[in-house]
Amino acid sequence: MKRMMAITIAATTALAACGAAEPGEAAAGEASGDSLPAVTSADPADLSDGLITCAMPDFDGKVGLTTTERFILIDGQPKRYSDFQNQAFDLCQAGQENCALKIENGVIRMDWTSANGTRSRYDVDLGTLDIAAYRTDPGTAERSVAFRDGAKCVREPLPEGLEIM
């Protein structure tokens, strides 16, 4: 029972990191406002149009749980991607607080805080296709989230019939 509850909580948190603001969430500003460590691509960044899929097996030490983040690069700008709807969309609504999706020094940086105050951050190096995941629970310091060694993102051409929102 405890294991199922932990998996449910982890899955819910991972899903929350994937999309739009939850109902009733404030909308005003950009990412959390605190300074994040600078990031820079380890190799020359490939900013060409494409789909980037990042699967992170055994996410946060939970064997069998794979969290997947998908991004579309269009004209050098990142968008979130829903393979269910074949849509590229903006992660953040205009003026949404505690939400950012941008490219910084050749790295896609997704930073999102849920209504309950849990912050999820992902950095995808567009040169090496490595991904790093971080989590901050309310009242705690940011921590790195582990997943299976060797996991990398995969770059593919843009999907046919892609709808850009």
Side-chain angles (χ1 to χ4, degrees), residues 112-131:
W112 188 79
T113 303
S114 70
N116 71 2
T118 300
R119 180 179 183 184
S120 299
R121 181 167 64 91
Y122 298 92
D123 291 334
V124 179
D125 185 319
L126 291 171
T128 63
L129 292 179
D130 289 327
I131 185 168

Side-chain angles (χ1 to χ4, degrees), residues 87-122:
Q87 292 178 338
F89 58 93
D90 293 325
L91 172 68
C92 311
Q93 297 174 15
Q96 182 177 348
E97 189 174 302
N98 300 321
C99 185
L101 179 61
K102 61 185 175 183
I103 295 179
E104 181 179 312
N105 300 320
V107 176
I108 294 175
R109 177 162 271 181
M110 184 174 91
D111 189 2
W112 188 79
T113 303
S114 70
N116 71 2
T118 300
R119 180 179 183 184
S120 299
R121 181 167 64 91
Y122 298 92

